[in-house]
Coordinates of all heavy atoms in Angstrom, one line a residue:
M1 N 136.8 123.4 107.3 CA 135.6 122.9 106.7 C 134.4 123.6 107.2 O 134.2 123.8 108.4 CB 135.5 121.4 107.0 CG 136.1 120.5 106.0 SD 135.4 118.9 106.1 CE 136.6 117.9 105.3
T2 N 133.5 123.9 106.3 CA 132.3 124.5 106.7 C 131.2 123.4 106.8 O 131.3 122.4 106.1 CB 131.9 125.6 105.7 OG1 131.8 125.0 104.4 CG2 132.8 126.7 105.8
V3 N 130.2 123.7 107.6 CA 129.1 122.7 107.8 C 127.9 123.3 107.0 O 126.8 123.0 107.5 CB 128.8 122.5 109.2 CG1 128.1 121.2 109.4 CG2 130.1 122.5 110.0
A4 N 128.1 123.9 106.0 CA 127.0 124.5 105.3 C 126.1 123.5 104.6 O 126.6 122.5 104.1 CB 127.6 125.5 104.2
K5 N 124.9 123.8 104.7 CA 123.9 122.9 104.1 C 123.9 123.1 102.6 O 124.1 124.2 102.2 CB 122.5 123.1 104.7 CG 122.3 122.5 106.0 CD 120.8 122.7 106.4 CE 120.6 122.1 107.8 NZ 119.2 122.4 108.3
K6 N 123.7 122.1 101.9 CA 123.5 122.3 100.4 C 122.1 122.9 100.2 O 121.1 122.5 100.8 CB 123.5 120.9 99.7 CG 124.9 120.3 99.7 CD 124.9 119.0 98.9 CE 126.3 118.4 98.9 NZ 126.3 117.0 98.3
L7 N 122.2 123.9 99.4 CA 120.9 124.6 99.1 C 120.5 124.5 97.7 O 121.4 124.4 96.8 CB 121.1 126.1 99.5 CG 121.4 126.4 101.0 CD1 121.6 127.9 101.2 CD2 120.2 125.9 101.8
T8 N 119.3 124.6 97.5 CA 118.8 124.7 96.1 C 117.6 125.6 96.1 O 117.2 126.1 97.2 CB 118.4 123.3 95.7 OG1 118.0 123.3 94.3 CG2 117.2 122.7 96.4
K9 N 117.0 125.8 95.0 CA 115.8 126.6 94.9 C 114.6 125.8 94.6 O 114.6 124.9 93.8 CB 116.0 127.6 93.7 CG 116.8 128.9 94.1 CD 116.8 129.9 93.0 CE 117.5 131.2 93.4 NZ 117.4 132.2 92.3
C10 N 113.6 126.2 95.3 CA 112.3 125.6 95.0 C 111.9 125.9 93.6 O 111.9 127.1 93.2 CB 111.2 126.1 96.0 SG 109.6 125.5 95.6
P11 N 111.5 124.9 92.8 CA 111.1 125.1 91.4 C 109.8 125.9 91.3 O 109.4 126.3 90.2 CB 111.1 123.7 90.8 CG 110.8 122.8 92.0 CD 111.5 123.5 93.2
Y12 N 109.1 126.0 92.4 CA 107.7 126.5 92.3 C 107.7 128.0 92.8 O 107.1 128.8 92.1 CB 106.7 125.7 93.1 CG 106.8 124.3 92.8 CD1 107.4 123.3 93.6 CD2 106.3 123.8 91.5 CE1 107.5 122.0 93.2 CE2 106.4 122.5 91.2 CZ 107.0 121.6 92.0 OH 107.1 120.3 91.6
C13 N 108.3 128.2 93.9 CA 108.2 129.6 94.5 C 109.6 130.3 94.4 O 109.7 131.4 94.8 CB 107.7 129.6 95.9 SG 108.8 128.8 97.1
K14 N 110.6 129.5 94.0 CA 112.0 130.1 93.8 C 112.6 130.6 95.1 O 113.6 131.3 95.1 CB 112.0 131.3 92.8 CG 111.3 130.9 91.5 CD 112.1 129.8 90.8 CE 111.4 129.5 89.4 NZ 112.0 128.3 88.8
E15 N 112.1 130.1 96.2 CA 112.8 130.4 97.5 C 113.9 129.4 97.7 O 113.9 128.3 97.2 CB 111.8 130.3 98.7 CG 110.7 131.3 98.7 CD 111.3 132.7 99.1 OE1 112.3 132.7 99.7 OE2 110.6 133.7 98.8
T16 N 114.9 129.8 98.5 CA 116.1 128.9 98.8 C 115.7 127.9 99.9 O 115.2 128.3 100.9 CB 117.2 129.8 99.3 OG1 117.5 130.7 98.3 CG2 118.5 128.9 99.5
I17 N 115.9 126.7 99.6 CA 115.6 125.6 100.5 C 116.7 124.6 100.6 O 117.6 124.6 99.7 CB 114.3 124.9 100.1 CG1 114.4 124.4 98.7 CG2 113.1 125.8 100.3 CD1 113.2 123.5 98.3
A18 N 116.7 123.7 101.6 CA 117.8 122.7 101.6 C 117.6 121.7 100.5 O 116.5 121.4 100.0 CB 117.6 121.9 102.9
A19 N 118.8 121.3 100.0 CA 118.7 120.4 98.8 C 118.1 119.1 99.1 O 117.6 118.4 98.2 CB 120.2 120.2 98.3
E20 N 118.1 118.7 100.4 CA 117.6 117.4 100.7 C 116.1 117.5 101.1 O 115.5 116.5 101.5 CB 118.4 116.8 101.9 CG 119.8 116.5 101.4 CD 120.6 116.0 102.6 OE1 120.1 116.0 103.7 OE2 121.8 115.6 102.4
A21 N 115.6 118.7 101.1 CA 114.2 118.9 101.5 C 113.3 118.1 100.6 O 113.5 118.0 99.4 CB 113.8 120.4 101.4
I22 N 112.3 117.5 101.2 CA 111.3 116.8 100.4 C 110.0 117.6 100.3 O 109.1 117.3 99.5 CB 111.0 115.4 100.9 CG1 110.5 115.5 102.4 CG2 112.2 114.5 100.8 CD1 109.9 114.2 102.9
R23 N 110.0 118.7 101.0 CA 108.8 119.6 100.9 C 109.3 121.0 101.1 O 110.1 121.3 102.1 CB 107.8 119.2 102.0 CG 106.6 120.2 102.0 CD 105.5 119.7 102.8 NE 104.8 118.6 102.1 CZ 103.7 118.0 102.6 NH1 103.2 118.4 103.7 NH2 103.2 117.0 101.9
C24 N 108.9 121.9 100.3 CA 109.3 123.3 100.4 C 108.6 123.9 101.6 O 107.4 123.7 101.9 CB 108.8 124.0 99.1 SG 109.1 125.8 99.3
R25 N 109.5 124.6 102.4 CA 108.9 125.1 103.6 C 108.2 126.5 103.4 O 107.6 127.1 104.3 CB 110.0 125.3 104.7 CG 111.1 126.3 104.3 CD 112.2 126.1 105.3 NE 113.4 126.8 104.8 CZ 113.8 128.0 105.3 NH1 113.1 128.6 106.2 NH2 114.9 128.6 104.8
H26 N 108.3 126.9 102.2 CA 107.7 128.2 101.8 C 106.3 128.0 101.2 O 105.4 128.6 101.6 CB 108.6 129.0 100.9 CG 109.9 129.3 101.5 ND1 110.1 130.3 102.5 CD2 111.1 128.8 101.3 CE1 111.4 130.3 102.8 NE2 112.0 129.4 102.1
C27 N 106.3 127.2 100.2 CA 105.0 127.0 99.5 C 104.4 125.6 99.8 O 103.4 125.3 99.2 CB 105.1 127.3 98.0 SG 106.1 126.0 97.2
H28 N 105.1 124.8 100.5 CA 104.7 123.4 100.9 C 104.5 122.5 99.7 O 103.7 121.6 99.8 CB 103.4 123.5 101.7 CG 103.6 124.4 102.9 ND1 104.4 124.1 104.0 CD2 103.1 125.6 103.2 CE1 104.3 125.1 104.9 NE2 103.6 126.0 104.4
A29 N 105.2 122.8 98.7 CA 105.1 121.9 97.5 C 105.9 120.6 97.8 O 107.0 120.7 98.5 CB 105.6 122.5 96.3
D30 N 105.5 119.5 97.4 CA 106.3 118.3 97.5 C 107.4 118.3 96.5 O 107.2 118.6 95.4 CB 105.4 117.0 97.3 CG 104.5 116.8 98.4 OD1 104.9 117.0 99.6 OD2 103.4 116.3 98.2
L31 N 108.6 118.0 97.0 CA 109.8 118.0 96.2 C 110.4 116.7 96.2 O 111.2 116.3 97.0 CB 110.8 119.1 96.7 CG 110.3 120.5 96.9 CD1 111.2 121.3 97.7 CD2 110.0 121.1 95.5
V32 N 110.1 115.9 95.2 CA 110.6 114.5 95.1 C 111.6 114.5 94.0 O 111.3 114.2 92.8 CB 109.5 113.5 94.9 CG1 110.1 112.1 95.0 CG2 108.4 113.6 95.9
D33 N 112.8 114.9 94.3 CA 113.8 115.0 93.3 C 114.7 113.7 93.3 O 114.7 113.0 94.3 CB 114.7 116.2 93.4 CG 115.4 116.3 94.8 OD1 115.0 115.5 95.7 OD2 116.2 117.2 95.0
K34 N 115.4 113.5 92.3 CA 116.3 112.3 92.1 C 115.5 111.0 92.0 O 115.6 110.3 91.1 CB 117.3 112.3 93.3 CG 118.3 113.5 93.3 CD 119.0 113.6 94.5 CE 119.8 114.9 94.6 NZ 120.4 115.1 95.9
T35 N 114.8 110.7 93.1 CA 114.0 109.5 93.1 C 112.6 109.7 92.5 O 111.8 108.8 92.4 CB 113.8 108.9 94.5 OG1 113.2 109.9 95.3 CG2 115.2 108.5 95.1
G36 N 112.4 111.0 92.1 CA 111.0 111.4 91.9 C 110.4 110.9 90.5 O 110.9 111.4 89.5
R37 N 109.5 110.1 90.6 CA 108.7 109.8 89.4 C 107.4 110.6 89.4 O 106.8 110.8 88.4 CB 108.3 108.3 89.4 CG 109.5 107.4 89.0 CD 109.1 106.0 89.3 NE 108.7 105.8 90.6 CZ 108.5 104.6 91.2 NH1 108.9 103.5 90.6 NH2 108.1 104.5 92.5
R38 N 107.1 111.0 90.6 CA 105.9 111.8 90.8 C 106.1 113.2 90.3 O 107.2 113.8 90.5 CB 105.4 111.9 92.2 CG 105.1 110.6 92.8 CD 104.5 110.7 94.2 NE 105.3 111.5 95.1 CZ 104.9 111.9 96.3 NH1 103.6 111.6 96.6 NH2 105.6 112.5 97.1
T39 N 105.2 113.8 89.6 CA 105.3 115.1 89.2 C 104.8 116.0 90.3 O 104.1 115.5 91.2 CB 104.5 115.4 87.9 OG1 103.1 115.2 88.2 CG2 104.9 114.5 86.8
S40 N 105.1 117.2 90.3 CA 104.7 118.1 91.3 C 103.2 118.2 91.4 O 102.6 118.3 92.4 CB 105.3 119.5 91.2 OG 104.9 120.0 89.9
F41 N 102.6 118.3 90.2 CA 101.1 118.4 90.2 C 100.4 117.3 90.9 O 99.6 117.5 91.7 CB 100.7 118.5 88.7 CG 99.2 118.6 88.6 CD1 98.5 119.8 88.8 CD2 98.4 117.4 88.3 CE1 97.1 119.8 88.7 CE2 97.1 117.5 88.2 CZ 96.4 118.7 88.4
F42 N 100.9 116.0 90.5 CA 100.2 114.9 91.1 C 100.5 114.8 92.6 O 99.6 114.4 93.4 CB 100.6 113.6 90.4 CG 99.8 113.4 89.1 CD1 100.4 113.5 87.9 CD2 98.4 113.2 89.2 CE1 99.6 113.3 86.8 CE2 97.7 113.0 88.1 CZ 98.3 113.1 86.8
S43 N 101.7 115.1 93.0 CA 102.0 115.0 94.4 C 101.2 116.0 95.2 O 100.7 115.7 96.3 CB 103.5 115.1 94.7 OG 103.9 116.4 94.2
R44 N 101.1 117.2 94.7 CA 100.3 118.2 95.4 C 98.8 117.8 95.4 O 98.1 117.9 96.4 CB 100.4 119.5 94.7 CG 101.8 120.1 94.9 CD 102.0 121.4 94.2 NE 101.4 122.5 95.1 CZ 101.6 123.8 94.8 NH1 102.3 124.2 93.8 NH2 101.1 124.7 95.6
Y45 N 98.3 117.3 94.3 CA 97.0 116.8 94.2 C 96.7 115.7 95.2 O 95.7 115.7 95.9 CB 96.7 116.4 92.8 CG 95.3 115.9 92.6 CD1 94.2 116.7 92.6 CD2 95.1 114.5 92.4 CE1 92.9 116.3 92.4 CE2 93.8 114.0 92.2 CZ 92.7 114.9 92.2 OH 91.4 114.4 92.0
N46 N 97.6 114.7 95.2 CA 97.5 113.6 96.1 C 97.5 114.0 97.5 O 96.8 113.5 98.4 CB 98.5 112.5 95.8 CG 98.2 111.8 94.5 OD1 97.1 111.8 94.0 ND2 99.2 111.1 94.0
T47 N 98.4 114.9 97.8 CA 98.5 115.4 99.2 C 97.2 116.0 99.6 O 96.6 115.7 100.7 CB 99.6 116.4 99.3 OG1 100.8 115.8 99.0 CG2 99.7 116.9 100.8
F48 N 96.6 116.8 98.8 CA 95.4 117.5 99.1 C 94.3 116.4 99.3 O 93.5 116.4 100.2 CB 95.0 118.5 98.0 CG 93.6 119.1 98.2 CD1 93.4 120.1 99.1 CD2 92.6 118.6 97.5 CE1 92.2 120.6 99.3 CE2 91.3 119.2 97.6 CZ 91.1 120.2 98.6
R49 N 94.2 115.5 98.3 CA 93.1 114.5 98.3 C 93.2 113.6 99.5 O 92.3 113.3 100.1 CB 93.1 113.8 97.0 CG 91.9 112.9 96.9 CD 91.6 112.7 95.4 NE 91.7 111.3 95.1 CZ 91.2 110.7 94.0 NH1 90.5 111.5 93.1 NH2 91.3 109.4 93.8
T50 N 94.5 113.2 99.8 CA 94.7 112.3 100.9 C 94.3 112.9 102.2 O 93.6 112.3 103.0 CB 96.2 111.9 101.0 OG1 96.5 111.3 99.7 CG2 96.4 110.9 102.1
G51 N 94.7 114.2 102.3 CA 94.3 114.9 103.5 C 92.8 115.0 103.7 O 92.2 114.9 104.8
F52 N 92.2 115.3 102.6 CA 90.7 115.4 102.5 C 90.0 114.1 103.0 O 89.2 114.1 103.9 CB 90.3 115.7 101.1 CG 88.8 116.1 101.0 CD1 88.3 117.3 101.5 CD2 88.0 115.2 100.3 CE1 87.0 117.6 101.4 CE2 86.6 115.6 100.2 CZ 86.1 116.7 100.7
I53 N 90.5 113.0 102.4 CA 89.9 111.7 102.7 C 90.2 111.3 104.2 O 89.3 110.8 104.9 CB 90.5 110.6 101.8 CG1 89.9 110.8 100.4 CG2 90.1 109.2 102.3 CD1 90.5 110.0 99.3
V54 N 91.4 111.5 104.6 CA 91.8 111.2 106.0 C 90.9 112.1 107.0 O 90.5 111.6 108.0 CB 93.3 111.5 106.2 CG1 93.6 111.5 107.7 CG2 94.1 110.4 105.5
G55 N 90.7 113.3 106.6 CA 89.9 114.2 107.4 C 88.5 113.6 107.5 O 87.9 113.6 108.6
I56 N 87.9 113.2 106.4 CA 86.5 112.6 106.5 C 86.5 111.4 107.3 O 85.6 111.2 108.2 CB 86.1 112.4 105.0 CG1 85.7 113.7 104.3 CG2 84.8 111.5 105.1 CD1 85.3 113.5 102.9
L57 N 87.5 110.5 107.1 CA 87.5 109.2 107.9 C 87.7 109.5 109.4 O 87.0 108.9 110.2 CB 88.7 108.4 107.4 CG 88.5 107.7 106.0 CD1 89.7 106.9 105.6 CD2 87.3 106.7 106.1
F58 N 88.5 110.5 109.7 CA 88.8 110.8 111.1 C 87.5 111.3 111.7 O 87.1 110.9 112.8 CB 89.9 111.9 111.1 CG 90.2 112.2 112.5 CD1 91.0 111.4 113.3 CD2 89.8 113.5 113.1 CE1 91.3 111.7 114.6 CE2 90.1 113.8 114.4 CZ 90.9 112.9 115.2
T59 N 86.8 112.2 111.0 CA 85.5 112.7 111.5 C 84.5 111.6 111.7 O 83.8 111.6 112.7 CB 84.9 113.7 110.5 OG1 85.9 114.8 110.2 CG2 83.7 114.4 111.0
L60 N 84.4 110.7 110.7 CA 83.5 109.6 110.9 C 83.9 108.7 112.1 O 83.0 108.3 112.9 CB 83.6 108.7 109.6 CG 82.8 109.3 108.4 CD1 83.0 108.4 107.2 CD2 81.3 109.4 108.7
V61 N 85.1 108.4 112.3 CA 85.6 107.6 113.4 C 85.2 108.3 114.7 O 84.7 107.7 115.6 CB 87.1 107.2 113.3 CG1 87.6 106.6 114.6 CG2 87.3 106.3 112.1
V62 N 85.6 109.5 114.8 CA 85.3 110.3 116.0 C 83.8 110.4 116.3 O 83.4 110.1 117.4 CB 86.0 111.7 116.0 CG1 85.5 112.5 117.1 CG2 87.5 111.6 116.0
G63 N 83.1 110.6 115.3 CA 81.6 110.7 115.4 C 81.1 109.4 115.9 O 80.2 109.3 116.7
F64 N 81.6 108.3 115.3 CA 81.1 107.0 115.7 C 81.4 106.7 117.1 O 80.6 106.1 117.9 CB 81.8 105.9 114.8 CG 81.3 104.5 115.1 CD1 80.0 104.2 114.8 CD2 82.2 103.6 115.6 CE1 79.6 102.9 115.0 CE2 81.8 102.3 115.8 CZ 80.5 101.9 115.6
L65 N 82.6 107.0 117.6 CA 83.1 106.8 118.9 C 82.2 107.6 119.9 O 81.8 107.2 120.9 CB 84.5 107.2 119.1 CG 85.5 106.2 118.5 CD1 87.0 106.7 118.6 CD2 85.4 104.8 119.2
V66 N 81.9 108.9 119.5 CA 81.1 109.7 120.4 C 79.7 109.1 120.5 O 79.1 109.0 121.5 CB 81.0 111.2 119.8 CG1 79.9 112.0 120.5 CG2 82.4 111.8 120.0
Y67 N 79.2 108.7 119.3 CA 77.9 108.0 119.3 C 77.8 106.8 120.2 O 76.9 106.6 121.0 CB 77.6 107.7 117.8 CG 76.3 106.8 117.7 CD1 75.0 107.4 117.8 CD2 76.4 105.4 117.5 CE1 73.9 106.6 117.7 CE2 75.3 104.7 117.4 CZ 74.0 105.3 117.5 OH 72.9 104.5 117.4
L68 N 78.9 106.0 120.1 CA 79.0 104.8 120.9 C 79.0 105.1 122.4 O 78.3 104.5 123.2 CB 80.2 104.0 120.6 CG 80.1 102.9 119.5 CD1 81.4 102.2 119.4 CD2 79.0 101.9 119.8
Q69 N 79.7 106.2 122.7 CA 79.9 106.6 124.1 C 78.5 106.9 124.7 O 78.1 106.5 125.7 CB 80.8 107.8 124.1 CG 81.2 108.2 125.5 CD 82.2 107.2 126.1 OE1 82.9 106.6 125.4 NE2 82.2 107.1 127.4
F70 N 77.7 107.7 123.9 CA 76.4 108.1 124.4 C 75.5 106.9 124.4 O 74.7 106.7 125.3 CB 75.8 109.1 123.5 CG 76.3 110.5 123.8 CD1 77.3 111.2 123.0 CD2 75.9 111.2 125.0 CE1 77.7 112.4 123.4 CE2 76.3 112.4 125.3 CZ 77.3 113.0 124.5
Y71 N 75.6 106.0 123.4 CA 74.7 104.9 123.3 C 75.0 103.9 124.4 O 74.0 103.4 125.0 CB 75.0 104.2 121.9 CG 74.1 103.0 121.7 CD1 72.7 103.2 121.4 CD2 74.5 101.7 121.8 CE1 71.9 102.1 121.2 CE2 73.7 100.6 121.6 CZ 72.3 100.9 121.3 OH 71.5 99.8 121.1
V72 N 76.2 103.6 124.7 CA 76.6 102.7 125.8 C 76.2 103.2 127.2 O 75.7 102.5 128.0 CB 78.1 102.3 125.7 CG1 78.5 101.5 126.9 CG2 78.3 101.5 124.4
S73 N 76.5 104.5 127.4 CA 76.4 105.0 128.7 C 75.1 105.8 128.9 O 75.0 106.7 129.7 CB 77.6 105.9 129.0 OG 77.5 107.0 128.1
R74 N 74.0 105.4 128.2 CA 72.8 106.1 128.3 C 72.1 105.8 129.6 O 72.2 104.7 130.2 CB 71.9 105.9 127.1 CG 71.3 104.5 127.1 CD 70.7 104.2 125.7 NE 70.9 102.8 125.4 CZ 69.9 102.0 125.2 NH1 68.7 102.4 125.3 NH2 70.1 100.7 124.9
Ligands
LIG1 ZN1 108.4 126.6 97.3

């Protein structure tokens, strides 16, 4: 018996990836197959937008904490 991984091709960049991969390691596209109701476009869009929003929130929180630190310890 071989322990070969099942392979498939990324539908976006056509690179060979593991069949169970949920994200292409070459082009980082989200691959939600079988269970996937999400289309690639929306998943990529949502990933970008979510990252953007999380980045802003993180910056705000860190900024607030830094502000508090200075304010409290003045
Ligand atoms: Zn790809």
Side-chain angles (χ1 to χ4, degrees):
M1 269 204 202
T2 54
V3 201
K5 284 183 181 177
K6 290 180 182 177
L7 295 176
T8 188
K9 274 187 177 180
C10 173
Y12 308 104
C13 66
K14 305 299 179 190
E15 291 287 344
T16 304
I17 54 171
E20 294 175 358
I22 58 172
R23 174 169 291 184
C24 175
R25 63 191 168 103
H26 299 283
C27 67
H28 305 291
D30 285 326
L31 305 167
V32 186
D33 57 349
K34 295 166 189 172
T35 59
R37 286 170 306 196
R38 299 191 302 170
T39 65
S40 62
F41 175 80
F42 277 112
S43 60
R44 293 180 79 169
Y45 178 72
N46 284 342
T47 300
F48 174 77
R49 190 154 116 163
T50 303
F52 188 70
I53 292 171
V54 168
I56 288 178
L57 285 176
F58 184 75
T59 305
L60 284 174
V61 169
V62 169
F64 182 67
L65 286 176
V66 168
Y67 172 79
L68 268 184
Q69 189 72 27
F70 278 106
Y71 182 76
V72 170
S73 63
R74 74 195 144 113

